[in-house]
Amino acid sequence: MHRISIIQGEHAVVGEPGTVITTLLGSCIAVCLQDSVTRIGGMNHFLLGEPGKDQRVNAHELQRYGLHAMELLINAMMKRGATRNGFRAHLYGGANIVAGLGSIGSSNAAFARRFLETEGIAIGHVDVGGTRARKVEFLPYEGKARSTAVADAPPIAVPVTPRGGELELF
Amino acid sequence: MPAASAIKVMVVDDQTSMRAMIRRTLQDLGFKDIRDKPTAPEALESVKSDRVHLIISDYNMPEMDGLQFLEAVRKDGVIGKTVFIMLTGSSDRELVQKAAALGVNNYLVKPFAPAALKEKIERVFGALA
């Protein structure tokens, strides 16, 4: 069995049998997505932005990071030949395990569920919330996913701003 | 100084959530006349029959991507000069150069802050009132 481990801000897409994608989650979310027609599937691992102590950032602002993470996964799958009509998702993470971070885990989970509902993507397994970290394993080709509680907390998630720098053409 | 409320906008993105987010951002900037479509062919048909001043389009879309959409707009004798801002997942040099060669007015890398969208629009239209 071939294993691919991802961390926050990453995603992986697989189109062949016998490969498992894994990640370790705290307050972050992992969406496991499979196109049941082509059997192409992938997983992402993301956190909505977290405002700094003195920053006032509204909920809409934070959601753009989640939207971007979902778009990257979906685009990567479609690039491999997946089609939206067959998408089915499993949803994991969103624990509230770090004191002082409030309910960021719940916000992440609520965002992910709302996104999938808005996009009309069928939702399969859901294991979100609570106070324990999770290990998630996903077999994209087979469409099987599972999460198990783990004692070790993952590294404290830090919002990632994926920017590649701009070209000065305009 | 153009009034944002006087600028008609077409937003094109295959993700419903992304269209909603861009629409909300434009509304916060004072835009009132905003329409959106999930695919480039639908948007093209719409802007041909009901012209807009500004098209904000994703690059990565099935069926017809942002570059093909831009090319189709620029080739049209009626809507060919419509301001076109492309949204990309990354600042891929080759993609941006292709878009520039096809006449894109500007581009924006996702995820973007509302201020960044405002700045890109103002670079084309001037400061928004």
Side-chain angles (χ1 to χ4, degrees):
Chain A
M1 180 74 68
H2 179 53
R3 296 180 79 84
I4 301 172
S5 293
I6 64 170
I7 59 171
Q8 187 199 334
E10 293 183 341
H11 67 267
V13 171
V14 168
E16 306 78 32
T19 298
V20 61
I21 306 174
T22 70
T23 198
L24 193 58
L25 296 168
S27 55
C28 288
I29 283 288
V31 175
C32 303
L33 196 58
Q34 190 219 28
D35 171 15
S36 56
V37 180
T38 62
R39 294 181 164 249
I40 291 165
M43 181 202 282
N44 63 10
H45 175 158
F46 67 90
L47 175 73
L48 300 184
E50 174 75 5
K53 199 178 174 186
D54 300 319
Q55 274 180 294
R56 290 184 58 199
V57 182
N58 66 37
H60 295 158
E61 269 286 276
L62 300 181
Q63 286 179 15
R64 60 198 165 96
Y65 297 104
L67 282 177
H68 185 63
M70 288 307 304
E71 185 173 32
L72 290 178
L73 174 62
I74 290 171
N75 285 348
M77 287 176 59
M78 291 176 78
K79 208 171 179 179
R80 294 281 294 266
T83 53
R84 276 175 171 269
N85 293 343
F87 279 178
R88 177 180 161 85
H90 307 299
L91 187 56
Y92 301 103
N96 298 305
I97 54 175
V98 182
L101 269 184
S103 57
I104 184 68
S106 303
S107 302
N108 289 330
F111 162 82
R113 187 186 281 272
R114 197 166 51 245
F115 175 90
L116 295 170
E117 287 170 354
T118 302
E119 300 296 330
I121 296 173
I123 302 174
H125 301 153
V126 176
D127 181 14
V128 298
T131 55
R132 302 281 298 275
R134 293 172 171 87
K135 180 183 181 183
V136 179
E137 295 169 293
F138 180 43
L139 285 157
Y141 186 87
E142 293 79 359
K144 291 178 180 173
R146 71 174 180 184
S147 71
T148 46
V150 293
D152 297 333
I156 293 175
V158 178
V160 173
T161 308
R163 291 190 67 89
E166 297 203 2
L167 301 178
E168 286 300 325
L169 292 180
F170 301 93
Chain B
M1 188 182 290
S5 58
I7 299 174
K8 291 184 185 179
V9 193
M10 166 62 77
V11 176
V12 195
D13 198 300
D14 55 327
Q15 282 194 54
T16 308
S17 313
M18 190 61 77
R19 291 199 307 279
M21 193 274 282
I22 297 168
R23 177 181 279 274
R24 215 162 38 225
T25 303
L26 289 169
Q27 285 169 338
D28 289 347
L29 294 175
F31 289 84
K32 303 248 186 258
D33 193 338
I34 308 163
R35 60 285 309 263
D36 64 79
K37 294 288 179 190
T39 69
E42 287 175 88
L44 189 60
E45 191 182 326
S46 171
V47 297
K48 278 184 175 177
S49 60
D50 185 8
R51 294 179 64 182
V52 298
H53 303 102
L54 168 63
I55 295 170
I56 298 174
S57 173
D58 187 27
Y59 161 66
N60 216 324
M61 295 185 289
E63 208 172 334
M64 180 188 259
D65 68 26
L67 282 181
Q68 293 168 320
F69 180 35
L70 170 64
E71 192 170 17
V73 169
R74 288 289 177 259
K75 278 185 178 168
D76 189 282
V78 180
I79 60 165
K81 294 192 187 311
T82 308
V83 173
F84 198 113
I85 294 177
M86 183 96 76
L87 306 177
T88 70
S90 66
S91 55
D92 180 305
R93 175 172 287 274
E94 196 181 342
L95 167 65
V96 174
Q97 285 174 339
K98 274 185 190 167
L102 287 170
V104 79
N105 295 87
N106 219 315
Y107 76 102
L108 195 51
V109 180
K110 294 179 185 178
F112 54 84
L117 178 60
K118 182 170 188 269
E119 186 205 328
K120 299 285 181 175
I121 295 172
E122 288 187 331
R123 281 201 200 177
V124 183
F125 286 94
L128 296 172

